């Protein structure tokens, strides 16, 4: 089984405007849509499309959290979210006009008691299963949350995949995740260099292998002229 964790899921409210976004006065949209998002949820959605079963874990709150959960379940996604008492699942407003803009919400207040419930769910993961930790950590939680989770599960034979940026990613490498997915920018940040070509990507992905950080690295991302994801084995 594959489990995904999304700490701060969101309902993306996408509005389309004709022409410019007015700084004063009323803007009337020409179209609108809702999308249920979050990096871990996105992974589960892709797996569902590919016919692979997964279970989406994470935190939801308020009427927006209820709407997100029901919407995902209606789409055929298996969820097991923790219901947080304080706050609400965020709404991100995406404005599509001549000049695009985004306003991202904050999300609920996740307490230590909420985190205990997450650990209880993680403890049910069996040897041979895969856990995907994906996305940012909300400000209400410690910045080393991913590290704590990986340390907690270190004695279990679980494949852990990490898709995160900067210190969130770098600081978990000592726990030897099964797979990481840095894009070109994130790989550049890891090594403090500017990476522009596929040869650069291969060079620094191999450096990861030489340092015995991981077995595989998903190294191309959607950068470099829109090439598709691919696994690289070194």
């Amino acid at each position: 089984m594959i489990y995904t964790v999304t700490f701060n899921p969101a309902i993306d409210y996408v509005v389309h405007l004709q022409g410019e976004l007015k700084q004063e006065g009323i803007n009337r949209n020409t179209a609108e849509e809702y999308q249920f998002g979050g990096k871990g949820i996105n992974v589960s959605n892709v797996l569902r499309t590919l016919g692979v079963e997964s279970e989406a874990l994470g935190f939801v709150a308020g009427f927006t959290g209820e709407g997100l959960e029901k919407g995902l379940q209606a789409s055929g996604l298996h969820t097991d979210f923790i219901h947080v008492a304080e706050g609400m699942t965020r709404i991100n407003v995406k404005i599509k006009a001549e000049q695009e803009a985004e306003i991202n919400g904050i999300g609920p207040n996740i307490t230590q008691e909420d985190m205990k419930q997450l650990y209880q769910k993680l403890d049910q993961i069996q040897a041979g299963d895969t856990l995907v930790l994906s996305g940012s950590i909300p400000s209400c939680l410690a910045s080393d949350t991913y590290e704590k989770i990986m340390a907690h599960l270190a004695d279990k034979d679980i494949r852990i995949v990490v898709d995160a940026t900067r210190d969130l990613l770098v600081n978990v490498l000592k726990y030897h995740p099964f797979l990481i997915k840095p894009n070109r920018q994130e790989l550049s940040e890891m090594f403090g260099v500017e990476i522009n070509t596929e040869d650069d990507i291969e060079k620094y992905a191999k450096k990861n292998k030489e340092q015995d950080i991981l077995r595989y690295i998903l190294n191309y991302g959607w950068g470099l002229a829109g090439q598709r994801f691919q696994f690289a084995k070194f």
Side-chain angles (χ1 to χ4, degrees):
M1 172 67 79
I2 299 175
Y3 297 86
T4 65
V5 179
T6 305
F7 279 90
N8 206 6
I11 298 175
D12 290 344
Y13 176 49
V14 185
V15 295
H16 299 263
L17 305 180
Q18 188 170 18
E20 295 184 357
L21 172 65
K22 299 176 184 178
Q23 300 299 316
E24 297 182 4
I26 297 176
N27 292 276
R28 298 192 183 279
N29 63 350
T30 58
E32 62 185 9
E33 58 196 83
Y34 297 90
Q35 300 170 356
F36 302 119
K39 281 194 170 182
I41 289 171
N42 294 343
V43 172
S44 284
N45 275 324
V46 171
L47 290 171
R48 176 178 52 82
T49 301
L50 296 173
V52 179
E53 187 177 359
S54 73
E55 186 166 283
L57 307 176
F59 301 90
V60 295
F63 74 95
T64 50
E66 181 180 353
L68 179 140
E69 186 173 30
K70 289 182 177 179
L72 291 175
Q73 291 173 350
S75 73
L77 210 66
H78 297 288
T79 67
D80 189 15
F81 292 128
I82 294 159
H83 292 257
V84 176
E86 184 179 342
M88 58 183 281
T89 293
R90 59 188 177 143
I91 297 176
N92 297 333
V93 180
K94 313 290 184 179
I95 302 173
K96 305 295 183 181
E98 287 185 4
Q99 292 181 325
E100 297 188 357
E102 298 185 6
I103 304 173
N104 287 350
I106 299 173
N109 180 42
I110 302 171
T111 67
Q112 290 304 307
E113 190 60 37
D114 297 324
M115 284 298 298
K116 287 180 181 178
Q117 293 185 54
L118 176 63
Y119 278 107
Q120 290 171 359
K121 295 180 185 297
L122 296 178
D123 286 338
Q124 302 304 311
I125 298 177
Q126 301 298 310
D129 288 340
T130 298
L131 173 66
V132 180
L133 300 174
S134 187
S136 61
I137 300 294
S139 59
C140 58
L141 294 178
S143 60
D144 62 349
T145 297
Y146 279 4
E147 296 173 69
K148 290 178 178 177
I149 289 175
M150 294 190 70
H152 182 79
L153 299 174
D155 294 335
K156 302 185 73 171
D157 183 22
I158 297 172
R159 294 185 295 265
I160 299 182
V161 177
V162 181
D163 177 11
T165 61
R166 300 191 179 183
D167 290 346
L168 271 180
L169 176 60
V170 173
N171 291 340
V172 302
L173 297 181
K174 59 184 175 234
Y175 295 104
H176 298 248
F178 176 75
L179 185 147
I180 62 174
K181 192 208 68 63
N183 58 29
R184 182 179 60 179
Q185 179 182 347
E186 292 161 354
L187 197 60
S188 297
E189 292 171 351
M190 288 172 63
F191 289 96
V193 298
E194 185 69 27
I195 295 176
N196 296 307
T197 68
E198 292 184 19
D199 288 340
D200 289 341
I201 290 174
E202 183 174 350
K203 172 183 175 181
Y204 286 98
K206 284 181 176 178
K207 281 184 177 293
N208 272 332
K209 176 60 179 177
E210 291 164 3
Q211 295 169 10
D212 194 28
I213 289 175
L214 46 89
R215 303 175 195 173
Y216 302 93
I217 178 171
L218 189 57
N219 70 333
Y220 287 126
W222 287 105
L224 295 181
Q227 293 202 29
R228 296 181 64 187
F229 287 119
Q230 59 179 289
F231 283 103
K233 300 182 182 180
F234 301 105

